[in-house]
Each structure stands twice: as C-alpha cells, then as structure tokens.
Amino acid sequence: MNEILQGNMYFGFFLALGTYWIGLKVQKKFPYTLCNPLLISTVLCIIVLLVFRIDYEVFDAGASHISYFLTPCTVCLAIPMYKQVRILKKNLAAILLSIVSGCLAAALSIWGLCALFGLDGSIYHSLQPKSVTTAIAIGVSEELGGSSALTIMAVVVTGMFGGIMARVLCRLFHIKDPIAVGLACGNSAHAMGTSKALEFGELEGAMSSLAVVVAGIVTVVLAPLFSGMIL
Amino acid sequence: MDTVKYLKQMTVIMAVSFIGEFLNRVLPLPVPGSVYGLVLMFLLLVTGLIRSEQVEDAGGFLVKIMPVLFIGPSVSLITVMGGLADRLVPILAVCILSTMAVMAVTGLTAQAVLKRRAGRERSGLRDEPEEREGAAGREEGGKREE
C-alpha cells in the first residue's frame, strides 16, 4: 500500500478532511462531548493507517501541508479578541492574575506529578510546556532538552482532554463567569480549548485566545526556571 | 464581489503572517512567528489601521476550521506510542491531572478577582456600570444555550 501512495500528498489531505467531515456529521447527530470531530478524525485516521499498513510519513506528506495554515489561523485569533477589547481592558487584572497563577499551577503540578510517578528528566522536560500552543511548546521543550514528539503528544492529549471536558470541569469547579470559563479553557487547553470556548460564545473564545497568547509568553519565561528543579 | 473580498482579506492575513514569521527569524527571542503575527494583527485592529470588516470573513473561516490543523500532529501519536508504552499511564495521568489543576486555578482565580470587583462596584464605586451589565447579559445568554 505504501508504494502506491508514496509521493501522493493528496492522500493525507483527503484522509484528514474526509475523516473530519465525518466527525462533524457525527457530532451534529450526537451532540455529546466525546463526539469531538478532532477525536473522531484522529481515531479514524489511525485505524485507516493501521488496517492498510500505511506509514505515518505517507499520511503526513499531505497532512503536514494543512499545518502551514497554523500561523494565519493563529493570527486570525486576534479578530475575536479585538471585538472584545473593551471587556479585555476592563478585566485586565483578572486576566493577568489568573493566567500567571494558572501557569504556576501547571509548572508545580507537572513537577510534583513527575516526581510522584518517578518519570525521568527528559520526560519531565517534554511535559513541562504541554499547556501551551504546539508551536511554542515544541520550542520550549527543545530548549530544555525534552523530546518534541512526546511534547506534541502531551499537548494533544492535554488539548483534547481539556477541550472535551471543558464543560464538565467548569461545572465541577463552579466556574460560571464567561470570562473565567474562557480564561480557564485557553490557559489549560490552548488552541483546542479556544475552539471549544468559541462554541460557548464569542466572549469565552476571545478570553481563551488571549489566555493562549499570555500563557505562551509566561511559560516561555517560567519553564526554564522550573526545569532545574530536581525530581 | 465576493471573490475580490476574500482575496483581499486573505492577502492581509497572509501579509501579517509573513511579517510574524519574519520577526521570529530576525528577533533573538523564543517567540513563535504566529504569536508575533497575532499581536501585530491585534495592534493593527486596535489602532484602526485595519478595520475588522477587512479581515473578519476570511479570518472567521480560518478560526472555525482550526481543529483540522491538529489532525496531523494528533495522528503522530502512533509514532511515539511504541517507545513509551510502559510509561504511558503515568504520562497520561500527568497530562490529565495537571490540566484539571490549571483549569481550576485559572478559572477560580479569575472568578474571585471579578467577584471582588463586582462587590466593590455594588458598594458605591460605580465608575462604569454599563460594561458589567453587558457581561451579566452574556452570562444569561450562556445559560440559555445549555
């Protein structure tokens, strides 16, 4: 199967878009949190690759081209943010305080849990930046001596878990204010949290996309400080 | 003309992306180009150099399809699974537990700060009451959606 598909980058495109389209259809029919189109698409892609014994590289040859849109998409997050600029200014203290304390909670909990489970240094460094957007996370992980493949996995697991569970967790922790919900989503589950927050509403989405940016910058500063901590 | 409108909007978005990636190359900071671009786009909108109508149609589409961009990295899980099979459970536990911690701390801190300020405003210091009303209205809207 690999030989037939080698060099045909449209296979990755087709599989990624097709499975996501199926995911959207399923979500429309069954509007549950677990019916996340990204999760459905990922599972379907993995099943297809495993069943037909296709290498990930063959799939990635096409799918990686879609990722070139990551920069323009991230740039466009400024638009929902701008529309809420008055509310942003009004809540500056809440935004900054909550994101800095959230990033500290991330650094401390990841350090504590890695020590508790006896995970070694390279895994710790790979997990450290997992709450921020993939592009920043990979840079931080490489800077600290982690593995970028593991970082991507941790970022994806974090994003999926945070995105899928956002509604349930906010209810569990009694986070009701739309501003607080948006900040919590963006700071914990980066871009995937933001796409979930946008489903809640434009204010939540704007807060979330702002949280992603601020959290990214705070993590760039904090992660090297915490990387030296002994496990 | 729709075609021209989308073409113009995509051009603006790509120009900002280009400048963002350029800044990432020339400035010696570990900040990704996408973040420079986001900040730049935000500043352009705030200063009025770009009006939101000039980017919001194409921009809205890109924001909506964003999860599609993560399919590739998500599927890359199958390439790292093998080597980490024995430590997979603790790694997943770290991811899940710390995500919950971050969500709780961020959300509750924000809520506490917002509540304190709302309390202060109610006790007489009503400087800009109309904005808080807007937020309360949205809260109700959010509840109705559920």
Side-chain angles (χ1 to χ4, degrees):
Chain A
M1 204 63 168
N2 277 323
E3 303 84 68
I4 310 168
L5 297 170
Q6 200 86 55
N8 188 343
M9 69 167 197
Y10 299 104
F11 167 68
F13 264 114
F14 162 70
L15 190 61
L17 292 180
T19 52
Y20 191 77
W21 177 63
I22 294 171
L24 284 177
K25 286 269 174 200
V26 171
Q27 191 195 35
K28 209 168 181 188
K29 195 137 196 203
F30 308 97
Y32 309 117
T33 37
L34 254 176
C35 292
N36 179 298
L38 177 60
L39 182 60
I40 292 167
S41 169
T42 304
V43 171
L44 289 177
C45 285
I46 290 178
I47 290 173
V48 169
L49 296 188
L50 291 179
V51 168
F52 294 100
R53 297 175 185 282
I54 301 164
D55 289 339
Y56 171 72
E57 286 69 30
V58 175
F59 166 75
D60 192 50
S64 64
H65 288 286
I66 303 175
S67 309
Y68 289 146
F69 278 93
L70 193 57
T71 298
C73 280
T74 312
V75 166
C76 291
L77 288 175
I79 302 165
M81 199 162 111
Y82 166 71
K83 288 191 171 166
Q84 308 288 345
V85 70
R86 263 158 53 97
I87 302 154
L88 288 184
K89 274 188 197 157
K90 188 91 169 62
N91 300 292
L92 201 63
I95 291 165
L96 289 179
L97 278 171
S98 64
I99 289 173
V100 170
S101 51
C103 288
L104 279 171
L108 287 171
S109 65
I110 293 166
W111 171 73
L113 289 164
C114 281
L116 182 71
F117 294 128
L119 296 171
D120 61 52
S122 101
I123 295 181
Y124 169 53
H125 293 144
S126 311
L127 295 182
Q128 263 193 301
K130 67 168 196 58
S131 265
V132 300
T133 188
T134 317
I136 305 181
I138 292 168
V140 173
S141 163
E142 281 170 357
E143 204 78 25
L144 303 175
S147 124
S148 46
L150 180 55
T151 300
I152 294 177
M153 175 190 138
V155 169
V156 170
V157 169
T158 298
M160 272 193 182
F161 175 76
I164 291 169
M165 299 297 288
R167 203 182 284 272
V168 177
L169 288 176
C170 284
R171 206 173 289 157
L172 178 73
F173 298 127
H174 300 289
I175 303 165
K176 292 188 195 96
D177 190 295
I179 292 171
V181 169
L183 292 171
C185 286
N187 201 17
S188 60
H190 49 87
M192 290 190 225
T194 301
S195 58
K196 188 71 194 179
L198 280 166
E199 284 174 25
F200 295 155
E202 201 164 350
L203 176 60
E204 286 90 334
M207 285 296 160
S208 183
S209 61
L210 182 80
V212 172
V213 185
V214 181
I217 293 162
V218 172
T219 302
V220 167
V221 177
L222 276 186
L225 298 177
F226 278 87
S227 71
M229 280 166 70
I230 301 153
L231 290 169
Chain B
M1 268 289 277
D2 255 358
T3 322
V4 176
K5 185 180 80 182
Y6 274 93
L7 192 64
K8 268 186 182 168
Q9 298 197 353
M10 279 308 271
T11 308
V12 173
I13 292 163
M14 286 303 171
V16 174
S17 306
F18 161 68
I19 297 167
E21 293 292 347
F22 177 75
L23 289 175
N24 169 260
R25 197 54 77 81
V26 294
L27 297 178
L29 299 168
V31 177
S34 57
V35 175
Y36 282 124
L38 198 165
V39 174
L40 179 64
M41 179 66 97
F42 185 67
L43 291 177
L44 287 170
L45 288 166
V46 169
T47 54
L49 289 170
I50 293 177
R51 280 176 289 111
S52 65
E53 307 91 75
Q54 289 174 307
V55 284
E56 68 187 356
D57 302 283
F61 174 72
L62 286 176
V63 170
K64 271 187 207 135
I65 59 149
M66 200 153 70
V68 176
L69 309 183
F70 304 122
I71 297 172
S74 299
V75 177
S76 80
L77 289 186
I78 57 171
T79 61
V80 286
M81 280 306 197
L84 295 163
D86 53 330
R87 279 162 296 180
L88 205 58
V89 172
I91 290 173
L92 291 177
V94 174
C95 290
I96 287 170
L97 293 173
S98 77
T99 304
M100 291 173 76
V102 176
M103 200 174 258
V105 169
T106 309
L108 293 175
T109 309
Q111 209 159 263
V113 176
L114 292 167
K115 251 186 208 142
R116 252 189 76 182
R117 202 194 51 208
R120 251 203 330 265
E121 274 169 15
R122 229 174 286 126
S123 62
L125 285 163
R126 282 179 162 267
D127 43 348
E128 287 163 274
E130 81 283 357
E131 294 199 22
R132 199 53 215 166
E133 271 164 36
R138 283 233 7 95
E139 218 165 319
E140 277 165 35
K143 268 175 207 150
R144 244 176 280 127
E145 268 169 44
E146 275 189 39

